[in-house]
Amino acid sequence: PGVHINTVGPKSMNGHELPIEVAGKSSVISTDSLEQLRAYSTPHFLANTPYEQNIVQLSDIVTGKTPGRTSINDVTLFCSVGLSGTEVVVANEIMKMAEK
């Protein structure tokens, strides 16, 4: 309980860095791009699972459109699709919010 997991390695049905069951324990599953996640030539490891419909855009969490962690006991999962510029922009926005 109360852990955040970032995936940065392979995330296809043919190879992934963590068991699919981790998604089942996650109260929040996010990615930097749903469009890119769905465009993988080999399906994403959560495609066609009950957890696929729970994946949300990180930008929606950052802007408050979608809730993120709501309890200190939440397990949250971030599935990066490699949009390095996105991470920089998100980190900048978090720093701005922290300064306020």
Side-chain angles (χ1 to χ4, degrees):
V3 68
H4 175 74
I5 302 161
N6 283 320
T7 62
V8 295
K11 287 171 281 304
S12 74
M13 285 295 196
N14 296 336
H16 39 89
E17 60 190 325
L18 55 97
I20 292 173
E21 293 78 20
V22 170
K25 297 176 190 263
S26 300
S27 55
V28 178
I29 305 170
S30 64
T31 187
D32 36 357
S33 172
L34 285 169
E35 184 177 339
Q36 186 167 338
L37 183 140
R38 292 180 179 131
Y40 282 168
S41 57
T42 303
H44 186 269
F45 82 109
L46 296 178
N48 302 312
T49 71
Y51 317 115
E52 180 180 20
Q53 66 187 1
N54 298 336
I55 304 171
V56 298
Q57 293 261 141
L58 178 60
S59 60
D60 288 345
I61 294 171
V62 171
T63 61
K65 184 177 177 181
T66 301
R69 180 182 298 270
T70 58
S71 163
I72 61 169
N73 293 319
D74 283 352
V75 174
T76 57
L77 173 62
F78 176 68
C79 298
S80 173
V81 292
L83 298 177
S84 59
T86 302
E87 283 87 4
V88 172
V89 170
V90 169
N92 185 53
E93 291 304 311
I94 290 170
M95 292 300 295
K96 286 181 189 176
M97 292 169 64
E99 289 173 352
K100 290 180 185 176

